[in-house]
Amino acid sequence: MPEFVRQIPAGDTHERLVCSTCGFVDYENPKIVVGAVVAERGRVLLCRRAIEPRRGFWTLPAGFMEMGETPEEGARREAWEEAQVRLVLEGLLAVYSISRIGQVQLIYRSRFDGPPSFAAGPETEEVRLFEWEDIPWDSIAFPSVRWALDAWRAVGTGPLGAPAGNPPEDPRGTVHLPAEAAL
Amino acid sequence: MPEFVRQIPAGDTHERLVCSTCGFVDYENPKIVVGAVVAERGRVLLCRRAIEPRRGFWTLPAGFMEMGETPEEGARREAWEEAQVRLVLEGLLAVYSISRIGQVQLIYRSRFDGPPSFAAGPETEEVRLFEWEDIPWDSIAFPSVRWALDAWRAVGTGPLGAPAGNPPEDPRGTVHLPAEAAL
Ligand SMILES: [Zn+2]
Ligand SMILES: [Zn+2]
């Protein structure tokens, strides 16, 4: 991770976070990632990434929430973009904080809107429904994908209560895995 | 609300949202507001705003989450900045979407860390604990403050389940009140 330092960029009037490595100016506040665990009869949908970071690894359909949409709309949009899936959201499964990269992730438990139907979108190599025991744990793209799958497994199809949070081993989302980066 | 249009600002390489009224360039994604309903024996803490928007109106301690912190840390920081309160967070009470202004609000149920102690911070005129029947409903700063108070009242001191969401009358956070603006 590059180090960001606080300074006033040329032509600007406010202090910003500026990357000490390349000069990139970070005008952003923490970002919201919205995603879904899509389940169908005990199987869960995963997408193999066609893009960096973590190209070739498996992830949930998820991405950055955009202006003008609700988190739920964002989660549905991402599922469509990445996996050509039409979702019904059942509720908030988990809220994760990845403070190292300024992300809050809102992950929804969801199901197909109608018969299961999916296909790889432009940023996706392959989409599959996995039985729990077939999930490629060694090829999961990001720790929070594993967290969300565990949270889904724990709650099953029962009523959703308080959303899961970060696991005890990474309460603030600061653990840095090699070659790991933003969703 | 000003209208934003998509265009590439001078000197920039990406399309951004640019205000059609004043030319302000919005580099931001949706922002995360973190806040707390602070309760003490059935009373709730409110802050009278010393700043615009909604100066003089009552609000919860809340504000924009910053880079490098978790939502919980942000909620505690805001409570300290605005009301000089040290908080213990009990869990996520509500998640609100104010899509009109690109906000997701994470509101925590919380209590004082130790004996109740509070004071107005620089952006606050006055801090008070209100009995439910004394809450100044006509002088509440933002609709989501009312929503969060209602959510708190509904759950009481019981276990927190699934967080509350937007009320049916404003499911996407698009209702525009006169003189109302971002938290
Ligand atoms: Zn850089
Ligand atoms: Zn403007």
Side-chain angles (χ1 to χ4, degrees):
Chain A
M1 275 297 284
E3 288 292 329
F4 282 82
V5 294
R6 290 211 155 268
Q7 59 181 71
I8 301 177
D12 202 340
T13 54
H14 290 76
E15 260 194 355
R16 308 289 183 185
L17 289 168
V18 180
C19 177
S20 59
T21 306
C22 71
F24 172 76
V25 181
D26 182 15
Y27 285 95
E28 319 286 316
N29 290 79
K31 284 184 186 158
I32 303 162
V33 166
V34 285
V37 175
V38 189
E40 160 71 14
R41 301 189 192 191
R43 294 178 302 167
V44 289
L45 183 135
L46 293 174
C47 303
R48 202 150 65 82
R49 294 172 61 82
I51 53 167
E52 296 295 345
R54 302 292 270 165
R55 181 184 160 131
F57 287 74
W58 293 90
T59 189
L60 298 171
F64 290 111
M65 183 180 161
E66 292 182 358
M67 290 296 289
E69 67 188 7
T70 67
E72 290 87 352
E73 289 164 354
R76 284 198 296 268
R77 176 183 50 71
E78 288 289 343
W80 177 252
E81 289 176 6
E82 300 190 349
Q84 311 275 293
V85 167
R86 295 290 182 202
L87 284 189
V88 175
L89 301 186
E90 299 175 339
L92 192 58
L93 174 69
V95 177
Y96 298 124
S97 170
I98 318 291
S99 65
R100 182 171 59 78
I101 51 176
Q103 280 186 13
V104 174
Q105 303 186 350
L106 303 176
I107 310 295
Y108 294 85
R109 192 179 71 180
S110 61
R111 58 176 191 269
F112 291 96
D113 187 8
S117 167
F118 51 83
E123 301 183 351
T124 305
E125 201 84 50
E126 180 186 356
V127 183
R128 274 178 62 187
L129 282 171
F130 285 97
E131 300 284 350
W132 182 258
E133 36 280 332
D134 297 333
I135 291 173
W137 295 109
D138 292 342
S139 307
I140 294 294
F142 309 106
S144 59
V145 173
R146 215 171 293 130
W147 305 346
L149 291 170
D150 285 340
W152 171 79
R153 178 76 163 177
V155 73
T157 56
L160 286 160
N166 285 39
E169 69 268 21
D170 193 8
R172 305 181 66 254
T174 53
V175 174
H176 196 173
L177 297 191
E180 188 258 355
L183 261 177
Chain B
M1 278 295 285
E3 288 292 330
F4 282 81
V5 295
R6 288 210 156 270
Q7 58 180 70
I8 300 177
D12 202 339
T13 54
H14 290 76
E15 260 194 355
R16 308 291 182 183
L17 291 169
V18 180
C19 177
S20 58
T21 307
C22 70
F24 171 77
V25 181
D26 181 15
Y27 285 94
E28 318 286 316
N29 291 79
K31 283 185 188 158
I32 303 162
V33 166
V34 284
V37 175
V38 189
E40 160 72 14
R41 299 189 194 194
R43 295 178 303 169
V44 290
L45 182 135
L46 294 173
C47 304
R48 202 151 65 83
R49 293 172 62 82
I51 53 168
E52 295 297 345
R54 302 292 271 167
R55 183 183 158 131
F57 287 74
W58 293 89
T59 190
L60 298 172
F64 290 110
M65 184 180 159
E66 293 181 358
M67 288 298 288
E69 66 188 9
T70 67
E72 291 85 352
E73 289 164 354
R76 284 198 297 266
R77 176 183 50 73
E78 288 289 344
W80 177 253
E81 287 176 6
E82 300 190 350
Q84 312 275 293
V85 167
R86 295 291 181 200
L87 283 190
V88 174
L89 302 186
E90 299 174 340
L92 192 57
L93 176 69
V95 177
Y96 298 125
S97 171
I98 318 293
S99 63
R100 181 172 60 76
I101 52 175
Q103 278 186 13
V104 173
Q105 302 187 350
L106 303 177
I107 309 295
Y108 294 85
R109 191 179 72 179
S110 62
R111 59 177 190 268
F112 291 96
D113 185 9
S117 167
F118 51 83
E123 300 183 352
T124 305
E125 200 84 50
E126 180 185 358
V127 184
R128 273 179 62 186
L129 281 171
F130 285 96
E131 300 283 349
W132 182 258
E133 36 280 332
D134 297 333
I135 291 173
W137 296 107
D138 293 341
S139 306
I140 294 293
F142 309 106
S144 59
V145 172
R146 214 171 293 129
W147 305 347
L149 290 170
D150 285 340
W152 171 79
R153 178 74 163 177
V155 73
T157 56
L160 286 159
N166 285 38
E169 69 269 21
D170 192 8
R172 304 181 68 255
T174 52
V175 174
H176 199 172
L177 298 189
E180 186 259 356
L183 262 178

